[in-house]
Every structure is written in structure tokens, then in C-alpha cells.
Amino acid sequence: MSGMYFAGYDRAITMFSPDGRIYQLEYAMEPVKKGSTTMGIKVDEGVAIVAERIKPSPLVDVSAPEKVLLVDRHIGVGYAGLSSDARVLIEDARVYAQTHRIMYDEDIDVEALTKRMGDVMQAYTQHGGTRPFGVAFITAGISRGVPKLFMTDVSGAYTSYKAVTIGMYDQAITDFFKDRYTPSMSIEQAVLTALQALRKAKQEALQTSVAFDPEKIEAGVARRSTGLFVKLTQAEVSSIIDKLEGSGLS
């Protein structure tokens, strides 16, 4: 009887359970939790997104799909979850950002773009015959000289963060950030801290040493000085990984 009782609230995105839960949203979180790790860190100098790609087969070209993408010249996003859902939402965000520039002759505010993505995601939690998007986003950029960092979950809710992670190992990495985060660190140190956090979390989970392949790490940064979001090259990522391995930091 209890299983039937549960199933009645389990089958519809538009129905709350008696304790205020929407089960389909909870299910949509599962591909996010199982997705490859994406991290964001905001510091005084700017903001960074760092993500790990997972290679499911030796025949897969690990360079695609991207995990950190440019939405506008001053905004980038990283995601965890279904890449197909992410692609659709990012394409919509790009069009929205360009439309804003054409209409107002200015860069769109990072929070305004984040809100737009959240609005689209939230709409899919209200209508029968649809499902929630199975993806969460970290959005980072510079608005009027100020670094901004947001995380948007599957419900469309978004929150501003100093440091945040989505995907696998999220709790362990969050705990690491709580201990090590300082806003005065440089952008390079922010990327290095994210990789330290990921390595420690993986080592604790897998009970083995972890070495990073530069081809499987993506990073993008936006600096106050330029106001632009740029992807780091593989050589730049390799240099930061070499510093991590050479320092013996954990």
C-alpha cells in the first residue's frame, strides 16, 4: 500500500507529495550527482571554473563535448549532468545574451543571464508532459568590474557563491573549500586549489593515488582587469598541474 501511495506522487512533475516533495526533481538530481566534477571559485582578482572530463571509452575523443563553455565574452558556464540538456540551455543563453547586447548595446549582467537560465529550467517543473532538465550549472563572469559566481540547480533556483562544486565528490570538495578558500588568492591559485580539492576527494573515494591528465581537465577564468572570460589552453592547464604535482600539496 505504501508503494502505491508513493507512486501516485512519483509519476507527475506537477504534483507535490504530502511532505512537500517533487519526486521527479529529486530524480533529475541523480545525473547531476553522477556527473563529472565541475567547480567554481570567486576571488578578488576574478573568477574561475574548473571541470574534469570523464572518458567512458578509449575510443571517445575526450576533447568533446566541452565541460566549460563561453556564453558571452564576459561569461562562462560549467555543468554536471546530461550534456544534451546542457547544450540546449546554453544555446538559449547565448541567444539571450546576444539579444540583450543588440537591444541595449551593453554586456548582459551575469545574474540576469543566470536568472534567464533558471527561469527556463523552472518552467519545466510546472507543466505536465515535460520533465525537468537533468543538469546543474555553475555560471561565472564579470559584471561592471565585479566577479560573479552562481550555481543553478535542476529546479531553476540559483544562488551566489564564493566557491561551489557540482557533480561527483561534491561534499568532500565543499569541505576542502571551507578549509582552504581565501578571497585574496590569485586566479592561478584558485585553479590550483580546485585541482587540489578534486585530487584529495578522488583519492579518499578511490583509496589510490590520482594523477591528472591535462586533456581531461578544462578551466576558464575571468579577470577584473580584462572583464573577459577565457578558456585556458592545454599548455596552461598542464603548467598548473605540474605545479600541483611538484609541490606535493594535498
Side-chain angles (χ1 to χ4, degrees):
M1 182 67 180
S2 60
M4 295 175 62
Y5 179 77
F6 174 84
Y9 300 102
D10 178 55
R11 294 173 181 171
I13 188 60
T14 56
M15 188 176 296
F16 285 96
S17 71
D19 58 351
R21 297 164 62 183
I22 300 178
Y23 291 115
Q24 291 296 328
L25 282 179
E26 295 180 20
Y27 299 158
M29 277 298 300
E30 290 305 309
V32 174
K33 293 176 182 178
K34 296 174 182 176
S36 56
T37 307
T38 301
M39 302 160 285
I41 301 184
K42 179 175 65 176
V43 294
D44 294 339
E45 184 184 339
V47 63
I49 299 176
V50 182
E52 183 182 35
R53 298 191 189 104
I54 293 178
K55 190 173 183 178
S57 163
L59 299 179
V60 172
D61 181 356
V62 76
S63 65
E66 293 179 275
K67 285 279 292 179
V68 179
L69 301 98
L70 193 68
V71 176
D72 202 348
R73 61 187 179 184
H74 62 301
I75 303 176
V77 299
Y79 69 90
L82 301 178
S83 60
S84 54
D85 286 8
R87 183 184 68 245
V88 169
L89 288 163
I90 291 169
E91 287 175 355
D92 178 82
R94 286 169 170 165
V95 172
Y96 190 75
Q98 294 303 311
T99 301
H100 181 94
R101 174 169 288 111
I102 291 170
M103 291 181 65
Y104 300 107
D105 194 27
E106 66 177 10
D107 291 340
I108 191 170
D109 182 76
V110 179
E111 184 171 359
L113 185 68
T114 302
K115 180 179 181 297
R116 163 67 181 192
M117 296 177 75
D119 287 347
V120 175
M121 295 170 76
Q122 195 277 336
Y124 279 75
T125 71
Q126 290 187 319
H127 302 289
T130 66
R131 65 161 176 82
F133 288 96
V135 64
F137 291 99
I138 292 174
T139 308
I142 306 292
S143 287
R144 296 175 177 84
V146 179
K148 301 285 187 179
L149 179 68
F150 297 94
M151 190 277 285
T152 308
D153 67 23
V154 297
S155 73
Y158 68 89
T159 306
S160 177
Y161 282 91
K162 297 176 181 178
V164 65
T165 181
I166 52 178
M168 291 188 290
Y169 319 115
D170 59 340
Q171 188 57 57
I173 292 172
T174 298
D175 291 341
F176 188 95
F177 285 162
K178 288 177 180 178
D179 291 336
R180 303 293 183 92
Y181 172 81
T182 57
S184 60
M185 68 174 67
S186 68
I187 284 288
E188 184 180 272
Q189 288 172 327
V191 176
L192 186 61
T193 298
L195 292 176
Q196 285 178 253
L198 178 59
R199 183 175 69 174
K200 184 177 181 182
K202 291 185 71 173
Q203 286 179 167
E204 290 178 351
L206 303 175
Q207 294 296 302
T208 185
S209 60
V210 172
F212 288 123
D213 180 350
E215 290 187 353
K216 296 181 182 178
I217 299 295
E218 278 187 80
V221 302
R223 292 181 169 85
R224 282 181 187 265
S225 57
T226 64
L228 303 176
F229 188 94
V230 296
K231 290 282 294 289
L232 299 187
T233 65
Q234 189 171 320
E236 290 172 322
V237 172
S238 295
S239 176
I240 295 173
I241 291 174
D242 289 342
K243 292 180 180 179
L244 174 64
E245 302 299 340
S247 67
L249 295 170
S250 62

